Amino acid sequence: MARDVSDATPLSARSELIEWFAAGEKPHDAFAIGTEHEKVPFYRADLSPVPYEGERGIEALLEGLRAITGWETIEDAGRVIGLSAVEGGGAISLEPGGQFELSGAPLPDVHATAHELSQHLDAVRQAADPLGIGFLTLGMSPKWTREDTPVMPKSRYRIMKGYMPRVGSLGLDMMLRTATVQVNLDFSSEADMVTKMRVGLALQPVATALFANSPFTDGKPNGFLSRRSEIWRDTDRDRTGMLPFAFDEGFGYEAYADWLLDMPMYFVKRDETYHDVSGASFRDLMEGRLPALPGERATVSDWANHASTAFPEVRLKRFLEMRGADVGDANMIAAQSAFWAGLYYDPAALDGAWQLVRDMTAEERETMRAEVPRLGLDAPAGKRRLRELARDALALSESGLRARARRDAQGRDETLYLAPLQAIAASRSRAEDLLALYDGPWNRSVDPAFGACAF
């Protein structure tokens, strides 16, 4: 998230929290696609991590990119920690370990998001090449330890870094060493949101398997195809997971708001100061009895920022975020958007996707989620294998993209972006390819990944 929301409108009733989600509803013809991806920077000369400070650090990279793009700086306590597009809504932010994130603008189709990505990568290369910086296309940094990894100077991250070890053993790995690609998609009504939430949750392990791309940690294989996905299983159970209550009868904005109300807070931001209230209740803030800030009451900003600190497999804000995938190369980043847009933005495809998963039990969904980081496409998916479910989901996505009939200048529809996923579903994941290289031509070293898996 590039910039915290700024809206000091006071909140006095639970109904206002629910209405905040409902305000995200859009007519179908206004649906957009927002693509976000993270990439881990490294110095090409010695394969070391890039610190924030210094003539060739992250701050210098941001300043160079600002000069190229003309985007405005985003600051935290006087330090540049991101950039924001003057027009269009795109932004660049820093994850805790220096992962460089593009939060793309809301765009009408996958062609546009692929073009946006190409322009971004061109600009990043112009800024990064003189500094000797490259970027990994892996879902986890393959070589450096936690201790080797620099920490970016963002106030909210200092609070999270102190809180994470209290609620899970792998939260710092999540913060410092992982990289994901997400797509943000719209809903037209509460009922539409519910269907998309359920489909997204049930099929998120499919995305994890198709995008599995983090098999190395600390310079060797880690026993998983998506270690990034496994890390989320021991990060913070209060704010992660498959949200089984989303499948309960009557689920909607209200139930999700109640879940957030019971989810412990990280911080409250007032002016430019982040107040550490980690573990506190948003209900207490609503009532003006937060121990760390007595008398202070909740605002719209507080609710929006709190919603951004929930990390389930599918996150509801004023849109839905698909959160199950490791980052990959540019083709895989575009494929993430294509896969979910095809399923979500054609009514027949969405209904077909729901038919695929509607009879799964909560136990089957949880088993699939637990097994997919290690087994990938060979994980169980109810009464069959996840590979079969992935092929069915891809076929539905393809039909949805064909029905959308959004064409580029060459007359091609968005189905072209599914090709990498269709190849993986027919063979094996990128992670399995990398493990084969490690055991073969790479001579059991991860160093070649910095050349083979880099922007």
Side-chain angles (χ1 to χ4, degrees):
M1 185 172 180
R3 177 180 275 149
D4 291 316
V5 173
S6 296
D7 186 338
T9 304
L11 294 170
S12 58
R14 176 170 164 273
S15 61
E16 294 172 313
L17 310 181
I18 297 163
E19 290 163 3
W20 185 83
F21 293 111
E25 295 173 1
K26 293 181 180 177
H28 191 276
D29 60 6
F31 283 180
I33 299 169
T35 306
E36 305 179 34
H37 81 275
E38 303 160 1
K39 46 197 174 292
V40 175
F42 66 95
Y43 287 124
R44 294 188 185 275
D46 61 4
L47 313 185
S48 64
V50 180
Y52 178 81
E53 298 84 1
E55 293 181 356
R56 298 192 302 123
I58 294 292
E59 185 177 31
L61 177 63
L62 284 169
E63 290 290 358
L65 194 56
R66 180 191 61 77
I68 292 165
T69 62
W71 287 14
E72 298 176 344
T73 59
I74 301 170
E75 297 186 7
D76 182 342
R79 310 303 297 269
V80 178
I81 49 90
L83 302 172
S84 180
V86 178
E87 297 179 0
I92 291 166
S93 60
L94 301 178
E95 292 300 303
Q99 303 96 316
F100 214 70
E101 179 175 7
L102 171 67
S103 297
L107 298 169
D109 53 49
V110 188
H111 303 305
T113 202
H115 178 69
E116 174 192 56
L117 174 61
S118 177
Q119 287 188 314
H120 166 74
L121 292 176
D122 285 347
V124 167
R125 289 187 191 101
Q126 289 181 55
D129 284 352
L131 305 178
I133 294 173
F135 297 88
L136 288 167
T137 60
L138 295 172
M140 183 171 188
S141 59
K143 186 170 182 174
W144 318 313
T145 65
R146 279 188 198 170
E147 292 70 28
D148 291 334
T149 306
V151 179
M152 300 297 105
K154 291 182 70 169
S155 300
R156 65 186 288 165
Y157 293 158
R158 285 195 292 272
I159 294 169
M160 291 171 65
K161 190 170 183 282
Y163 182 72
M164 285 291 184
R166 293 159 47 187
V167 291
S169 67
L170 299 176
L172 296 182
D173 282 327
M174 178 278 293
M175 292 178 64
L176 297 171
R177 301 204 283 176
T178 64
T180 187
V181 53
Q182 299 170 192
V183 59
N184 305 326
L185 298 163
D186 293 314
F187 48 87
S188 61
S189 65
E190 185 171 30
D192 187 43
M193 181 280 291
V194 170
T195 300
K196 288 172 176 173
M197 173 67 83
R198 290 171 174 168
V199 166
L201 287 167
L203 289 181
Q204 211 60 218
V206 168
T208 299
L210 290 171
F211 288 83
N213 192 33
S214 49
F216 305 122
T217 307
D218 296 339
K220 59 184 182 296
N222 52 39
F224 295 88
L225 301 178
S226 177
R227 179 61 177 169
R228 183 206 62 83
S229 179
E230 179 66 13
I231 283 168
W232 276 109
R233 295 197 336 112
D234 192 9
T235 289
D236 182 346
R237 298 198 177 201
D238 287 331
R239 66 187 73 239
T240 62
M242 292 286 281
L243 303 187
F245 68 89
F247 295 84
D248 291 346
E249 185 176 355
F251 170 74
Y253 302 137
E254 183 176 7
Y256 193 88
D258 283 340
W259 178 68
L260 280 183
L261 278 168
D262 291 327
M263 185 187 81
M265 299 178 69
Y266 283 151
F267 63 85
V268 171
K269 186 181 180 185
R270 289 294 178 266
D271 297 321
E272 298 305 313
T273 300
Y274 288 78
H275 298 272
D276 185 349
V277 298
S278 50
S281 164
F282 199 93
R283 295 180 192 275
D284 285 346
L285 179 60
M286 287 283 290
E287 296 171 10
R289 51 185 177 84
L290 201 63
L293 293 169
E296 195 70 36
R297 291 185 176 270
T299 67
V300 170
S301 289
D302 296 327
W303 184 237
N305 292 335
H306 184 54
S308 77
T309 66
F311 306 122
E313 293 295 288
V314 178
R315 177 162 66 185
L316 174 63
K317 294 199 285 191
R318 285 178 164 171
F319 43 81
L320 288 163
E321 297 181 1
M322 308 296 107
R323 299 179 50 82
D326 291 356
V327 79
D329 62 20
N331 289 333
M332 292 297 282
I333 291 170
Q336 161 80 338
S337 295
F339 177 65
W340 291 109
L343 291 175
Y344 272 17
Y345 283 176
D346 175 64
L350 181 59
D351 181 65
W354 175 234
Q355 298 308 316
L356 280 181
V357 299
R358 65 179 301 170
D359 293 329
M360 273 189 174
T361 66
E363 182 180 3
E364 288 170 338
R365 291 192 300 270
E366 292 294 342
T367 297
M368 184 168 54
R369 172 66 183 92
E371 296 293 338
V372 73
R374 182 171 56 89
L375 298 177
L377 290 166
D378 291 325
K383 299 176 175 59
R384 54 184 184 156
R385 294 285 108 184
L386 195 145
R387 186 184 301 275
E388 298 172 55
L389 181 60
R391 288 172 175 167
D392 287 347
L394 280 167
L396 285 167
S397 178
E398 183 176 21
S399 70
L401 294 174
R402 287 202 189 283
R404 272 167 57 80
R406 303 293 180 92
R407 300 190 180 277
D408 66 8
Q410 297 169 270
R412 301 173 299 178
D413 66 26
E414 296 164 300
T415 60
L416 70 96
Y417 300 104
L418 293 179
L421 304 184
Q422 291 164 334
I424 288 168
S427 57
R428 63 185 185 182
S429 67
R430 299 293 174 96
E432 291 166 289
D433 288 342
L434 294 174
L435 289 167
L437 288 168
Y438 176 86
D439 285 326
W442 291 2
N443 197 27
R444 301 188 68 79
S445 169
V446 300
D447 285 2
F450 288 83
C453 306
F455 288 112

